[in-house]
Amino acid sequence: MSLVKLSLQELQRLFTCGEISAFEIARAYLLRINQVEPKIKAYITLTPKDQLLAQAEALDRSLKAWRKTEPMMAMPLAIKDNICTEGVRTTCGSIMLEHFVPPYDAAVVEPLRQQRFFLLGKTNLDEFAMGSSSEHSAFGPTKNPWKLTHSPGGSSGGSAAAVAADECVAALGSDTGGSIRLPAAACGVVGLKPTYGRVSRYGLVAFASSLDQIGPITKTVTDAAILLNVLAKHDPRDSTSATVPVPDFTKSTKRKDLKKLKVGIPQEFFTDGLDTEVERTVREAIAELERLGAQLCDISLPMTEHAIAAYYLIATAEASSNLARYDGVKYGFRSKETRDLLDMYCQTRAQGFGPEVKRRIMLGTYALSAGYYEAYYGKAQAVRTLIRQDFDAAFQEVDLIATPVMPTPAFPLGEKLKDPLQMYLLDMYTIPASLAGLPAIAVPCGFSSAGLPIGLQIMGRPFEEPLVLRAASAYEQATNWRKKRPVIR
Amino acid sequence: MTYEAVIGVEVHAQLRTATKLFCGCTTTFGLAPNTQCCPVCIGMPGSLPVLNKRAVELAIRAGLALNCTIRLSNRFARKNYFYPDLPKGYQISQYEAPICESGSLDITTNGHAKTVRIRRAHLEEDAGKNLHEGDAATSRVDFNRAGTPLLEIVTEPDLSSPEEVDAYLRALRDILKYLDACDGNMEQGSFRCEPNISVRPAGSSDLGTKVELKNINSFRFVKQALAYEIARQTKVLASGGVIHQETRLWDPEREVTVVMRSKEEAHDYRYFPDPDLLPVEISQEWIQELRQSLPELPAARAKRFVHDYRLPEYDASVLTASKDLADYFEACVRLFPNPKIVSNWVMGELLRELNARGIPAQRSPVSPECLAKLLQLVDEGTISLKIAREIFPELYASGKDPETLVHEKGLTQISDAQVLEQLVEEVMRQHPAQVDQYRRGKEAVLGFFVGQVMKASGGKANPGKVNELLRRKLASDTPSGS
């Protein structure tokens, strides 16, 4: 079996006991990337081959005397290109930051560096994480490893595709309204959006600050738990970072049953927009949860229908402010030969941002404008509170909530580009957990007749990632979906 | 028709914290451009703000000193606008819910007391500074100041003359300095003032259209700019014109105000709660703790000085204008319990030296102990008052002990009767004509003799004793040689 097919857990074990060297890992992944990357286009920036091999050799040499390893040592990861990496350009998929090299590491990158992981490269995304298909990237779309004519979902499409195509063992993504879970489902891998505040946002280029959260995209649920162990930590540099205890998340993935757990099935998540194949597949998965010992329970989250509207006001309002700093003054792109200051601002932003980013900046600016604030931003915040209350009430009755991730399987590239609203509707099942700040995981649960993966979403109470991981892991081990891998051609 | 001015004032006071409002960069003034910046205050992608607790503490202290209500649950808001000196494209400020509200400050102008209502005071971060120098085609930005904590203090439109505004600003500055919350330096920009002014027919209760004044960076300019603006608006109204709502800049060269921007160009700042910062909860215990730690404030202290030390109000107000100086005075009075004499020396000799060098009383090379000792030497008659005044600059420059200095320079006053008698006799011998004049009744010549004796003694003779001796000798002794 090829090295690149291994899970993070398996690779860790082989490396820790010295069966494989760092050099072998690096070489295997470089080879794999060399083979499939031209077809997938998961990466915006790849770490140069020589640099990676030199790093691996140095690591092996230093281990020769006394083999003391760290969990992430020599683990070949990919990082979404909106997470700052010192000395490695961080573009956010935008012309605006095409040549931007951060002078610092994001909080999540620090422990990885300390443990001497391998950064294989920075992965593609919708510009500034705004999109659900990875097509809104200034550097071209990423392809779905299961079907190259199809989108890998977005916005963390590069990370999900890289994991699915064995171009890395695991990856970091970011999720604002579904940007980890959607591409994970579309690419047949695991994606976990942690509770808002569980992982530091320091160094994550902000899209919508009250929603953004970094999380793992992995081959297995256990891998997600392993990575979350590294990511989850209180960070005084992020005022919204939570000061809750951090358990060992891998412990939760060892149970194989769901006994004594109540799983809610919200009727609002199985309505008109849902593709019949997806519905059937997800309902089968839910039945499997019952077979594993869970007690199913029909619930209602009545505010769900307003979630998309509220989200696209709040997220765009925050984005309009967060993206104001890209003005050509301090770093990043600046339009040349402009007449005066105003012209410099206008040209820089007209040329530096793509159409979707501009659309959202305009939406958000409008939502915050004098005279409209209450009707749009104010109302959206009120809806957000109601959605949170819906979940609070539901979680009085149940321990977890199971739903589809995406209303359809992966769709052909270009299909939804013409109609932004169709693209926005793809987030309908992932947005509620984002607005409520809940942990939610996407785990593969089957395939469409066209052979495209379908995902199951499991949501939990705030900071109950252990329970979410336990359910996802038990389901994963009871099914064989993970064993089916894409053949890239 | 006569007109009256209605004035409200916005002050931006830079809070004296060691580090910026949302990052750990130093707030030191005057370092090389862009040397006190980090990813946070320069608005790098992915950076996040973390609130400086000390700034909140100083804001609460200022609010308490200004009799404000302190808000228990605070939110920061983003004020969105584009300008090169604003690194994030928004300023983190407070909008709907300022930390301090509904306060007041008492002022006195020409013996007339007034209470100025404080509408609000809120925390916000400062912007950087655009530099337009050298090559005219390019401008540069210095972000050293970006993120420095400010307290914006806004009055109700309760002021009605440039003198009242001046009194308000001085009282406010003195309080903030007392609290160690702001160094109150208008020229360096740590205490910036933006008055709003309108004019209306005297006695009217309607408010006229207001004009906001900017670029006022000294107390002198405040008065000049307001006087100019009152005259300008009055002239416009008197001639049947209308005032436009606008922002005007004070031009100190031409001594006029000029239009900066009109209301039509006003920004929509799109304020909204900053999602990067959690609500700041302030406990009653903390407020109580800070209230108890407030120092005695200038007005109360001046009152006490008048009452306890029997000082004139003028002395009391000068001495209490800065905490340092008032502390100095009291320390000195404890050692030399004649308040008026100490006051004269502190306000005269000491302030002259300190002000010439811009040094606060706290760092005076002449300590309160030292000044008290000097005054003691005069009181005991060891040195004359004149000598004490003369050696003060040297005392200040050298920082020496007054006794040591007096001895080193041999300045000890001569009070010894025998020595003085010799001096007096010698002077009388040298000036027989004047002795005769005196004896013939021209007593004014006495002053001449005193001067001659003092001169002969190198200024060290005890003038009281010399006087006494001269009178006696001139009256009784027969003329020499007769």
Side-chain angles (χ1 to χ4, degrees), chain A residues 8-55:
Chain A
L8 175 62
Q9 185 188 24
E10 292 159 340
L11 196 64
Q12 272 184 338
R13 197 175 53 230
L14 289 181
F15 177 73
T16 307
C17 67
E19 275 191 40
I20 49 167
S21 66
F23 188 81
E24 285 170 298
I25 293 173
R27 198 179 50 191
Y29 274 93
L30 283 167
L31 190 66
R32 176 67 179 175
I33 288 169
N34 205 29
Q35 283 170 349
V36 302
E37 176 59 12
K39 291 174 188 157
I40 305 293
K41 299 200 179 300
Y43 289 95
I44 291 176
T45 303
L46 280 163
T47 303
K49 182 182 164 207
D50 295 345
Q51 186 187 323
L52 197 65
L53 291 176
Q55 190 194 343

Side-chain angles (χ1 to χ4, degrees), chain B residues 294-320:
Chain B
L294 283 186
E296 184 184 25
L297 294 172
R301 201 166 193 184
K303 218 176 230 173
R304 182 166 62 79
F305 277 21
V306 170
H307 183 264
D308 291 4
Y309 300 127
R310 306 273 165 217
L311 290 179
E313 276 184 18
Y314 174 76
D315 289 35
S317 74
V318 171
L319 292 173
T320 56

Side-chain angles (χ1 to χ4, degrees), chain B residues 291-422:
Chain B
R291 194 191 295 278
Q292 276 155 10
S293 74
L294 283 186
E296 184 184 25
L297 294 172
R301 201 166 193 184
K303 218 176 230 173
R304 182 166 62 79
F305 277 21
V306 170
H307 183 264
D308 291 4
Y309 300 127
R310 306 273 165 217
L311 290 179
E313 276 184 18
Y314 174 76
D315 289 35
S317 74
V318 171
L319 292 173
T320 56
S322 98
K323 186 171 178 295
D324 268 13
L325 195 64
D327 287 348
Y328 187 102
F329 168 80
E330 294 212 85
C332 198
V333 166
R334 266 194 293 279
L335 300 166
F336 185 78
N338 186 329
K340 184 54 189 157
I341 287 179
V342 174
S343 169
N344 289 345
W345 275 82
V346 169
M347 284 172 31
E349 269 67 22
L350 181 70
L351 271 187
R352 185 177 311 131
E353 297 292 334
L354 292 175
N355 289 346
R357 293 165 180 79
I359 288 176
Q362 200 179 19
R363 300 211 323 266
S364 165
V366 179
S367 66
E369 294 73 25
C370 185
L371 178 59
K373 203 178 257 179
L374 183 70
L375 299 182
Q376 197 67 46
L377 291 176
V378 177
D379 197 52
E380 289 163 352
T382 308
I383 56 171
S384 66
L385 187 62
K386 185 160 172 281
I387 296 250
R389 288 217 174 98
E390 275 169 20
I391 64 163
F392 190 82
E394 197 177 340
L395 203 61
Y396 184 95
S398 66
K400 282 184 180 162
D401 174 71
E403 232 164 350
T404 315
L405 189 69
V406 163
H407 278 292
E408 274 176 16
K409 296 181 68 84
L411 293 172
T412 310
Q413 187 162 275
I414 304 165
S415 302
D416 186 305
Q418 260 187 318
V419 180
L420 289 178
E421 226 173 287
Q422 280 175 16

Side-chain angles (χ1 to χ4, degrees), chain B residues 255-315:
Chain B
E255 303 194 346
V256 295
T257 62
V258 290
V259 180
M260 180 185 155
R261 63 168 175 256
S262 69
K263 193 197 173 194
E264 287 70 43
E265 298 165 66
H267 289 109
D268 174 0
Y269 290 117
R270 291 174 283 118
Y271 282 99
F272 76 107
D274 191 332
D276 285 331
L277 291 160
L278 298 176
V280 183
E281 308 295 341
I282 296 170
S283 71
Q284 287 288 5
E285 292 73 44
W286 195 24
I287 295 175
Q288 208 45 44
E289 197 180 298
L290 292 175
R291 194 191 295 278
Q292 276 155 10
S293 74
L294 283 186
E296 184 184 25
L297 294 172
R301 201 166 193 184
K303 218 176 230 173
R304 182 166 62 79
F305 277 21
V306 170
H307 183 264
D308 291 4
Y309 300 127
R310 306 273 165 217
L311 290 179
E313 276 184 18
Y314 174 76
D315 289 35

